[in-house]
Amino acid sequence: RAMAESPQSPAAPGPALPLRARLSFACGHFLNDACSALWFTYLLPFLHAVLGYGHGAAGALLLAGQAADGLCTPLLGFEADRAHGCGRYGRRKGWHLAGTTCVLLSFPFVFSPCLACRESTPQWAAFIYYLPFIVIFQFGWAATQVSHLALIPELVSSDHGKVELTAFRYAFTVMANITVYGLAWLLLNFQTDQPDHMEHLGPQDIPVFRNLALIVVGLGAVFSLIFHLGTKEKPYPPGVLLEPESTPLLHKETPGPLLLWKDWLLEPSFYQVAVLYMATRLIVNLSQTYIAMYLTNSLLLSKKYIATIPLVMYISGFLSSFLMKPVNKWIGRNLTYFVGILVVLAFASWVALARPMGDEIYVLAVLLGAGSATILVTSLSMTADLIGTNTHSSAFVYGAMSFTDKMANGLAVMAIQNLHPCPTELCCPACVGFYRWVMVLVTGGIAVAAVATLCCIMVWPIRIR
């Protein structure tokens, strides 16, 4: 009887993953997500409005970080797939631990003033000071991200199990962002003891960002410890990755060769998913990068809004992430992504056609948060679909996807910074409309490109030839 039922067991690993294991896995990206929220939302305001660096210098540092991340990610993915682990420690968790250590040691310096700089110090010297910390941080961030994503198809094999684990992961992403913006709101509110500095960012806010970075690193270390204690990974070498799994039972008629990293480069679906993931990340990250500038310079709101509006965005994203599994099961991946894109387009249209003031800005935040969560979770699930049972090379696939996203983000930010109409001052009258149209283009404009890519995927579905 047990022999007769055994063929059914391979489908079980995904849904049967215990809740404790799913929660501990989701904890593994909390540090990355919290640092990412600080990096994308506050790096430009911190460098420009707080430390007084020019638009070009601030953009160049962000581009340098994105370039370092983009170059490290596929290389780390390739190396992580070749690694054998360390003793009883699996290869994915080994790289995760190394990356976490780099992030913990370097990130606090990114959001602190230059230790050896004075008012007369030229900006190029400050650039050289920050560059090593940013490169080490981005290396660690990439190692953590790739190893954590590559664990998904190894922990679960069923279609809906991958969606569920991705949704858990994104729920913790949103929790990390909520934590960052909640802390930012508290720290900025403590500044209200200084009436002259209540409305706008300035040098008086240096302690706010420094303390925020230190708190984030401390919390992230705790969550990373929970991940390493609660997530179990098999310490097998790459050559026997599929031996204990169900692949022979599922594909016993046509097993097919294992896909190596160079084989992925010959798959059309690999490029389809890469373009869709890049467009998704551009929408999510660029809107996150420029929302603070839009609020303070275009809508002329006080600095407290750079914490409350992103907070509302991520609360709506958190709530919508729990709908991903039933919605995916009901209407499928492609239509779920399309619904998310429609919500993002609604946000872009509202910003373009109206001047949201008062309570309307919170409605916009809900739209952007829900739309971003939907397209991000769905695009990650599509990437897991592409990998399927080829988990031996999954880190390379995620690394390549992340490479397109990081490089595109860095180049886009640098282009926007160089197009700024007020190069010598924080904001002139021309930048009021500038940041408004930046928000329209980085959401609505890129959403149109994402829809075109989605149409290609619907005509030529994701599959391995």
Side-chain angles (χ1 to χ4, degrees):
R1 186 175 178 83
M3 292 282 289
E5 291 178 352
S6 62
Q8 301 298 323
S9 60
L17 196 67
L19 177 63
R20 178 169 167 263
R22 281 176 281 171
L23 290 173
S24 64
F25 166 80
C27 287
H29 213 247
F30 185 93
L31 173 63
N32 261 24
D33 291 324
C35 291
S36 180
L38 263 170
W39 173 264
F40 282 111
T41 309
Y42 296 131
L43 183 69
L44 291 183
F46 174 72
L47 293 175
H48 188 57
V50 178
L51 297 185
Y53 297 144
H55 292 284
L61 278 171
L62 195 144
L63 173 60
Q66 294 302 99
D69 191 1
L71 292 171
C72 288
T73 302
L75 296 176
L76 285 167
F78 179 68
E79 286 299 319
D81 284 331
R82 295 175 59 198
H84 290 255
C86 182
R88 296 183 62 187
Y89 221 59
R91 54 181 178 161
R92 307 300 187 203
K93 287 178 65 179
W95 276 104
H96 187 284
L97 181 61
T100 300
T101 304
C102 289
V103 172
L104 292 175
L105 294 177
S106 62
F107 191 70
F109 292 97
V110 177
F111 279 89
S112 298
C114 174
L115 296 178
C117 297
R118 300 178 181 176
E119 290 186 10
S120 59
T121 303
Q123 289 191 13
W124 62 263
F127 180 91
I128 293 173
Y129 169 84
Y130 282 108
L131 191 59
F133 295 117
I134 287 175
V135 170
I136 294 170
F137 159 64
Q138 293 291 2
F139 171 84
W141 200 99
T144 306
Q145 183 204 36
V146 169
S147 56
H148 195 257
L149 280 172
L151 270 173
I152 294 176
E154 294 190 8
L155 293 175
V156 292
S157 59
S158 72
D159 204 30
H160 294 297
K162 291 173 186 174
V163 178
E164 188 175 38
L165 206 56
T166 305
F168 264 87
R169 183 180 184 272
Y170 188 74
F172 271 73
T173 296
V174 178
M175 287 172 60
N177 280 271
I178 289 172
T179 302
V180 169
Y181 298 129
L183 288 169
W185 181 79
L186 288 172
L187 292 171
L188 287 170
N189 271 355
F190 286 145
Q191 295 285 307
T192 55
D193 295 336
Q194 307 169 22
D196 296 336
H197 304 302
M198 282 178 61
E199 294 300 317
H200 302 292
L201 290 171
Q204 76 280 352
D205 295 306
I206 287 175
V208 170
F209 290 98
R210 182 186 60 227
N211 294 338
L212 185 57
L214 290 172
I215 295 170
V216 160
V217 164
L219 287 174
V222 173
F223 276 89
S224 296
L225 181 63
I226 294 171
F227 165 78
H228 282 277
L229 293 177
T231 303
K232 306 300 178 186
E233 182 194 0
K234 301 170 189 173
Y236 41 70
V240 297
L241 177 63
L242 295 175
E243 289 297 322
E245 298 292 343
S246 60
T247 310
L249 292 171
L250 293 176
H251 301 279
K252 55 186 174 184
E253 294 183 7
T254 56
L258 299 179
L259 286 181
L260 303 176
W261 69 270
K262 53 189 175 184
D263 298 323
W264 283 111
L265 301 178
L266 302 176
E267 293 292 335
S269 291
F270 175 78
Y271 297 99
Q272 286 178 304
V273 175
V275 172
L276 189 73
Y277 183 76
M278 179 185 70
T280 302
R281 278 293 186 182
L282 280 172
I283 293 170
V284 174
N285 291 344
L286 290 179
S287 62
Q288 190 178 1
T289 300
Y290 285 100
I291 189 70
M293 301 291 202
Y294 172 66
L295 294 171
T296 56
N297 295 331
S298 290
L299 300 184
L300 304 177
L301 299 172
S302 70
K303 66 184 180 183
K304 288 184 288 187
Y305 280 88
I306 70 173
T308 55
I309 296 302
L311 185 60
V312 172
M313 286 169 51
Y314 277 94
I315 289 174
S316 67
F318 177 77
L319 296 176
S320 63
S321 69
F322 288 108
L323 299 175
M324 289 303 100
K325 186 180 178 182
V327 171
N328 267 273
K329 189 181 291 187
W330 182 39
I331 63 175
R333 296 265 203 277
N334 295 339
L335 285 180
T336 302
Y337 189 94
F338 184 68
V339 169
I341 281 291
L342 287 180
V343 176
V344 173
L345 285 170
F347 165 86
S349 302
W350 197 337
V351 172
L353 300 175
R355 284 297 185 93
M357 298 300 291
D359 294 339
E360 292 178 18
I361 191 65
Y362 291 102
V363 179
L364 278 176
V366 170
L367 288 177
L368 185 56
S372 298
T374 302
I375 62 176
L376 186 56
V377 169
T378 310
S379 65
L380 285 171
S381 299
M382 287 179 176
T383 308
D385 288 343
L386 174 70
I387 293 168
T389 54
N390 293 288
T391 56
H392 56 285
S393 56
S394 59
F396 171 78
V397 175
Y398 283 117
M401 300 294 162
S402 191
F403 173 77
T404 61
D405 129 51
K406 302 302 179 187
M407 295 305 294
N409 271 289
L411 292 172
V413 168
M414 197 64 198
I416 292 170
Q417 292 297 105
N418 285 331
L419 290 171
H420 199 283
C422 326
T424 59
E425 51 187 312
L426 178 59
C427 190
C428 59
C431 83
V432 174
F434 175 75
Y435 284 117
R436 178 184 170 204
W437 287 107
V438 165
M439 288 302 295
V440 171
L441 290 174
V442 302
T443 53
I446 300 172
V448 172
V451 169
T453 308
L454 183 65
C455 290
C456 292
I457 290 176
M458 295 177 78
V459 175
W460 298 285
I462 299 170
R463 65 182 182 86
I464 303 300
R465 293 185 300 173

